[in-house]
Protein backbone atom coordinates (compact mmCIF):
# COMPACT_ATOMS: atom_id res chain seq x y z
CA UNK A 1 0.00 0.00 0.00
CA UNK A 2 1.81 3.11 -1.16
CA UNK A 3 -0.81 5.81 -0.50
CA UNK A 4 -0.31 7.81 2.72
CA UNK A 5 -2.27 6.12 5.51
CA UNK A 6 -3.52 7.60 8.79
CA UNK A 7 -4.61 5.37 11.66
CA UNK A 8 -7.04 7.19 13.98
CA UNK A 9 -7.01 5.92 17.56
CA UNK A 10 -9.68 7.48 19.80
CA UNK A 11 -8.83 7.38 23.50
CA UNK A 12 -10.49 7.92 26.84
CA UNK A 13 -8.62 6.57 29.87
CA UNK A 14 -6.31 4.29 27.87
CA UNK A 15 -3.06 5.12 29.69
CA UNK A 16 -2.29 1.41 30.18
CA UNK A 17 -2.78 0.59 26.50
CA UNK A 18 -1.79 3.49 24.27
CA UNK A 19 1.97 3.11 24.23
CA UNK A 20 1.68 -0.65 23.71
CA UNK A 21 -0.73 -0.42 20.79
CA UNK A 22 1.21 2.31 18.98
CA UNK A 23 4.44 0.33 19.33
CA UNK A 24 2.77 -2.80 17.94
CA UNK A 25 1.17 -0.81 15.14
CA UNK A 26 4.50 0.56 13.95
CA UNK A 27 6.22 -2.79 14.39
CA UNK A 28 3.90 -4.34 11.82
CA UNK A 29 3.09 -1.22 9.79
CA UNK A 30 6.14 1.08 9.98
CA UNK A 31 4.97 3.49 7.28
CA UNK A 32 1.57 4.43 8.69
CA UNK A 33 0.94 7.63 10.59
CA UNK A 34 -1.08 7.81 13.81
CA UNK A 35 -3.55 10.37 15.09
CA UNK A 36 -4.48 9.93 18.74
CA UNK A 37 -7.86 11.63 19.33
CA UNK A 38 -8.02 11.99 23.09
CA UNK A 39 -11.23 13.11 24.82
CA UNK A 40 -9.45 14.88 27.71
CA UNK A 41 -8.76 11.62 29.56
CA UNK A 42 -8.42 12.20 33.32
CA UNK A 43 -5.91 9.33 33.63
CA UNK A 44 -3.18 11.12 31.66
CA UNK A 45 -3.63 9.39 28.30
CA UNK A 46 -3.32 12.74 26.51
CA UNK A 47 0.03 13.47 28.15
CA UNK A 48 1.31 10.03 27.14
CA UNK A 49 0.19 10.72 23.57
CA UNK A 50 2.08 14.04 23.59
CA UNK A 51 5.27 12.28 24.71
CA UNK A 52 4.91 9.70 21.95
CA UNK A 53 4.36 12.45 19.37
CA UNK A 54 7.37 14.41 20.57
CA UNK A 55 9.57 11.35 20.00
CA UNK A 56 8.13 10.21 16.65
CA UNK A 57 7.03 12.45 13.77
CA UNK A 58 4.68 9.71 12.55
CA UNK A 59 2.42 10.44 15.56
CA UNK A 60 0.08 13.40 16.04
CA UNK A 61 -2.38 14.22 18.82
CA UNK A 62 -5.82 15.78 18.63
CA UNK A 63 -6.88 17.02 22.07
CA UNK A 64 -10.65 17.24 22.42
CA UNK A 65 -12.58 19.09 25.13
CA UNK A 66 -14.24 16.08 26.68
CA UNK A 67 -15.97 12.74 26.21
CA UNK A 68 -18.49 13.15 23.39
CA UNK A 69 -18.75 9.60 22.07
CA UNK A 70 -16.81 7.30 19.79
CA UNK A 71 -18.44 8.57 16.61
CA UNK A 72 -17.69 12.20 17.41
CA UNK A 73 -14.03 11.34 18.00
CA UNK A 74 -13.76 9.52 14.69
CA UNK A 75 -15.50 12.31 12.80
CA UNK A 76 -13.04 14.82 14.23
CA UNK A 77 -10.20 12.51 13.26
CA UNK A 78 -11.54 12.06 9.73
CA UNK A 79 -11.77 15.80 9.23
CA UNK A 80 -8.25 16.27 10.56
CA UNK A 81 -6.91 13.56 8.26
CA UNK A 82 -8.72 14.83 5.18
CA UNK A 83 -7.46 18.36 5.81
CA UNK A 84 -3.93 16.96 6.15
CA UNK A 85 -4.18 15.23 2.75
CA UNK A 86 -4.23 11.55 3.75
CA UNK A 87 -5.57 9.18 1.10
CA UNK A 88 -6.43 6.23 3.37
CA UNK A 89 -7.88 6.57 6.87
CA UNK A 90 -8.19 3.74 9.40
CA UNK A 91 -10.33 3.26 12.50
CA UNK A 92 -8.62 1.27 15.26
CA UNK A 93 -9.22 0.86 19.00
CA UNK A 94 -6.55 1.66 21.56
CA UNK A 95 -7.19 -1.35 23.80
CA UNK A 96 -5.47 -4.01 21.68
CA UNK A 97 -8.68 -5.70 20.55
CA UNK A 98 -7.84 -4.77 16.96
CA UNK A 99 -4.57 -6.50 16.14
CA UNK A 100 -2.08 -4.38 14.16
CA UNK A 101 -0.92 -7.63 12.58
CA UNK A 102 -4.23 -7.78 10.69
CA UNK A 103 -4.00 -4.27 9.25
CA UNK A 104 -1.84 -5.13 6.18
CA UNK A 105 -4.56 -7.50 4.93
CA UNK A 106 -7.24 -4.84 5.37
CA UNK A 107 -5.14 -2.30 3.47
CA UNK A 108 -4.38 -4.82 0.71
CA UNK A 109 -8.12 -5.39 0.17
CA UNK A 110 -8.50 -1.80 -1.07
CA UNK A 111 -6.63 -2.73 -4.25
CA UNK A 112 -7.03 -6.51 -4.41
CA UNK A 113 -10.83 -6.35 -4.05
CA UNK A 114 -11.31 -2.83 -5.41
CA UNK A 115 -12.92 -1.80 -2.14
CA UNK A 116 -13.99 1.68 -1.06
CA UNK A 117 -14.49 0.61 2.56
CA UNK A 118 -12.96 -2.44 4.23
CA UNK A 119 -14.46 -3.87 7.40
CA UNK A 120 -12.42 -6.06 9.71
CA UNK A 121 -14.95 -8.79 10.42
CA UNK A 122 -15.22 -11.20 13.34
CA UNK A 123 -18.12 -13.10 11.86
CA UNK A 124 -17.04 -14.05 8.33
CA UNK A 125 -15.16 -17.25 7.56
CA UNK A 126 -11.68 -17.02 9.10
CA UNK A 127 -12.69 -14.39 11.66
CA UNK A 128 -12.75 -15.15 15.37
CA UNK A 129 -12.79 -13.70 18.86
CA UNK A 130 -10.41 -14.51 21.72
CA UNK A 131 -11.20 -14.46 25.45
CA UNK A 132 -14.86 -13.59 25.05
CA UNK A 133 -17.53 -15.27 27.18
CA UNK A 134 -20.28 -16.97 25.22
CA UNK A 135 -22.78 -14.36 26.39
CA UNK A 136 -20.72 -11.58 24.78
CA UNK A 137 -20.37 -13.55 21.55
CA UNK A 138 -24.11 -14.25 21.50
CA UNK A 139 -24.83 -10.55 22.03
CA UNK A 140 -22.56 -9.51 19.15
CA UNK A 141 -23.76 -12.18 16.72
CA UNK A 142 -27.38 -11.57 17.64
CA UNK A 143 -26.98 -7.82 17.36
CA UNK A 144 -25.47 -8.11 13.90
CA UNK A 145 -28.24 -10.48 12.82
CA UNK A 146 -30.81 -7.95 13.98
CA UNK A 147 -29.00 -5.15 12.11
CA UNK A 148 -29.10 -7.24 8.91
CA UNK A 149 -32.81 -7.93 9.31
CA UNK A 150 -33.68 -4.35 10.26
CA UNK A 151 -31.63 -2.53 7.64
CA UNK A 152 -31.37 -5.05 4.82
CA UNK A 153 -27.57 -4.83 4.81
CA UNK A 154 -25.87 -8.13 4.05
CA UNK A 155 -22.81 -7.39 6.16
CA UNK A 156 -21.88 -10.00 8.75
CA UNK A 157 -20.18 -7.53 11.11
CA UNK A 158 -21.67 -4.07 10.71
CA UNK A 159 -20.91 -3.15 14.33
CA UNK A 160 -17.15 -3.77 14.25
CA UNK A 161 -14.77 -0.84 14.56
CA UNK A 162 -11.62 -1.94 12.70
CA UNK A 163 -12.08 -0.25 9.32
CA UNK A 164 -10.24 1.21 6.34
CA UNK A 165 -11.73 4.07 4.32
CA UNK A 166 -10.56 5.56 1.08
CA UNK A 167 -10.44 9.34 1.17
CA UNK A 168 -12.94 9.48 -1.68
CA UNK A 169 -15.37 7.36 0.33
CA UNK A 170 -15.38 9.71 3.30
CA UNK A 171 -15.68 12.71 1.02
CA UNK A 172 -18.66 11.08 -0.71
CA UNK A 173 -20.51 10.32 2.53
CA UNK A 174 -20.98 13.94 3.58
CA UNK A 175 -19.62 13.78 7.12
CA UNK A 176 -21.48 16.90 8.18
CA UNK A 177 -24.72 14.94 8.00
CA UNK A 178 -23.55 12.14 10.32
CA UNK A 179 -25.16 12.58 13.73
CA UNK A 180 -24.43 9.21 15.36
CA UNK A 181 -22.07 9.62 18.30
CA UNK A 182 -22.02 6.24 20.06
CA UNK A 183 -21.29 2.74 18.82
CA UNK A 184 -24.22 2.87 16.40
CA UNK A 185 -21.89 5.18 14.47
CA UNK A 186 -20.33 2.06 12.92
CA UNK A 187 -23.67 0.79 11.63
CA UNK A 188 -24.54 4.26 10.36
CA UNK A 189 -21.29 4.66 8.39
CA UNK A 190 -21.59 1.21 6.77
CA UNK A 191 -25.22 1.92 5.86
CA UNK A 192 -24.33 5.29 4.36
CA UNK A 193 -21.50 3.79 2.31
CA UNK A 194 -23.75 1.10 0.84
CA UNK A 195 -26.56 3.54 0.10
CA UNK A 196 -24.08 5.81 -1.70
CA UNK A 197 -23.04 2.92 -3.96
CA UNK A 198 -19.58 2.34 -2.52
CA UNK A 199 -18.03 -1.13 -2.60
CA UNK A 200 -17.85 -2.46 0.96
CA UNK A 201 -15.96 -5.71 1.68
CA UNK A 202 -15.33 -7.71 4.83
CA UNK A 203 -11.94 -9.20 5.72
CA UNK A 204 -11.61 -11.71 8.58
CA UNK A 205 -9.81 -10.55 11.71
CA UNK A 206 -9.00 -11.96 15.12
CA UNK A 207 -10.60 -9.81 17.81
CA UNK A 208 -8.90 -10.04 21.21
CA UNK A 209 -10.58 -8.90 24.42
CA UNK A 210 -8.67 -6.10 26.18
CA UNK A 211 -6.15 -7.02 28.89
CA UNK A 212 -5.96 -3.63 30.61
CA UNK A 213 -8.50 -0.94 31.44
CA UNK A 214 -12.29 -1.01 31.40
CA UNK A 215 -14.48 -1.69 28.38
CA UNK A 216 -16.75 1.17 27.31
CA UNK A 217 -19.44 -1.28 26.12
CA UNK A 218 -22.75 -1.28 27.99
CA UNK A 219 -26.33 -2.45 27.61
CA UNK A 220 -27.47 1.09 26.84
CA UNK A 221 -24.99 1.31 23.95
CA UNK A 222 -26.31 -1.92 22.44
CA UNK A 223 -29.93 -0.83 22.91
CA UNK A 224 -29.24 2.48 21.18
CA UNK A 225 -27.60 0.75 18.22
CA UNK A 226 -30.52 -1.66 17.79
CA UNK A 227 -33.11 1.10 18.10
CA UNK A 228 -31.30 3.29 15.58
CA UNK A 229 -31.04 0.33 13.18
CA UNK A 230 -34.80 -0.18 13.45
CA UNK A 231 -35.46 3.47 12.63
CA UNK A 232 -32.99 3.50 9.72
CA UNK A 233 -34.48 0.31 8.29
CA UNK A 234 -37.98 1.77 8.47
CA UNK A 235 -36.83 5.00 6.81
CA UNK A 236 -35.05 3.16 4.00
CA UNK A 237 -38.01 0.88 3.28
CA UNK A 238 -40.42 3.83 3.32
CA UNK A 239 -38.19 5.71 0.88
CA UNK A 240 -38.08 2.73 -1.48
CA UNK A 241 -41.87 2.39 -1.45
CA UNK A 242 -42.22 6.12 -2.11
CA UNK A 243 -39.89 5.92 -5.10
CA UNK A 244 -41.76 2.93 -6.52
CA UNK A 245 -45.05 4.75 -6.14
CA UNK A 246 -43.69 7.82 -7.92
CA UNK A 247 -42.65 5.69 -10.91
CA UNK A 248 -46.15 4.29 -11.46
Amino acid sequence: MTAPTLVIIPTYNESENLERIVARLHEHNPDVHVLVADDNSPDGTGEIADKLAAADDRIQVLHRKGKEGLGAAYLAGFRWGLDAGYQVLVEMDADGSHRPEDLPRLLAALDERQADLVLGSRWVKGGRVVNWPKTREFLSRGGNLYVRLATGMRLRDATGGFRVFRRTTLEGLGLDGVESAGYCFQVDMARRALRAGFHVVEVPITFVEREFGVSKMSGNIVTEALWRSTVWGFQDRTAKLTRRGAKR
Side-chain angles (χ1 to χ4, degrees), residues 193-210:
L194 289 169
R195 288 179 66 198
F198 289 112
H199 185 205
V200 181
V201 304
E202 295 185 89
V203 172
I205 61 168
T206 297
F207 183 97
V208 183
E209 179 65 1
R210 69 161 63 229

Side-chain angles (χ1 to χ4, degrees), residues 151-221:
T151 66
M153 292 192 296
R154 297 182 180 181
L155 301 174
R156 305 294 298 179
D157 197 353
T159 63
F162 197 6
R163 301 183 168 194
V164 177
F165 291 84
R166 289 189 188 272
R167 176 189 185 89
T168 49
T169 305
L170 290 172
E171 290 175 333
L173 293 183
L175 297 181
D176 290 341
V178 179
E179 298 178 352
S180 306
Y183 278 75
C184 60
F185 168 80
Q186 306 295 8
V187 178
D188 191 10
M189 292 295 283
R191 168 180 167 267
R192 288 172 180 269
L194 289 169
R195 288 179 66 198
F198 289 112
H199 185 205
V200 181
V201 304
E202 295 185 89
V203 172
I205 61 168
T206 297
F207 183 97
V208 183
E209 179 65 1
R210 69 161 63 229
E211 294 183 29
F212 305 99
V214 179
S215 174
K216 315 300 190 297
M217 185 61 67
S218 70
N220 289 337
I221 288 172

Side-chain angles (χ1 to χ4, degrees), residues 26-85:
H26 278 148
E27 177 185 355
H28 297 280
N29 308 269
D31 295 329
V32 305
H33 291 187
V34 175
L35 176 67
V36 179
D38 184 64
D39 278 4
N40 197 23
S41 299
D43 72 343
T45 300
E47 288 78 4
I48 294 173
D50 286 335
K51 291 179 181 178
L52 293 175
D56 191 333
D57 59 10
R58 295 172 297 179
I59 303 170
Q60 301 290 330
V61 185
L62 178 61
H63 290 284
R64 290 163 41 77
K65 293 181 180 180
K67 191 176 181 182
E68 299 177 346
L70 182 71
Y74 272 129
L75 288 172
F78 289 153
R79 293 188 179 100
W80 188 98
L82 293 174
D83 288 344

Side-chain angles (χ1 to χ4, degrees), residues 92-151:
M92 194 175 79
D93 286 351
D95 60 14
S97 57
H98 299 152
R99 302 192 313 159
E101 297 90 333
D102 289 334
L103 181 55
R105 292 188 296 105
L106 271 64
L107 293 171
L110 289 176
D111 293 329
E112 293 174 358
R113 300 177 63 179
Q114 297 296 299
D116 300 304
L117 168 59
V118 180
L119 310 183
S121 180
R122 298 160 291 186
W123 309 127
V124 296
K125 184 178 180 180
R128 67 190 185 107
V129 297
V130 176
N131 296 330
W132 261 17
K134 286 296 181 182
T135 52
R136 180 86 181 271
E137 180 175 341
F138 176 80
L139 183 65
S140 180
R141 287 183 180 274
N144 274 287
L145 174 60
Y146 183 85
V147 168
R148 288 198 298 277
L149 294 174
T151 66

Side-chain angles (χ1 to χ4, degrees), residues 6-23:
L6 178 69
V7 178
I8 303 166
I9 303 179
T11 56
Y12 184 78
N13 287 349
E14 295 290 356
S15 60
E16 295 177 290
N17 293 309
L18 181 59
E19 193 166 1
R20 290 184 177 90
I21 196 63
V22 171

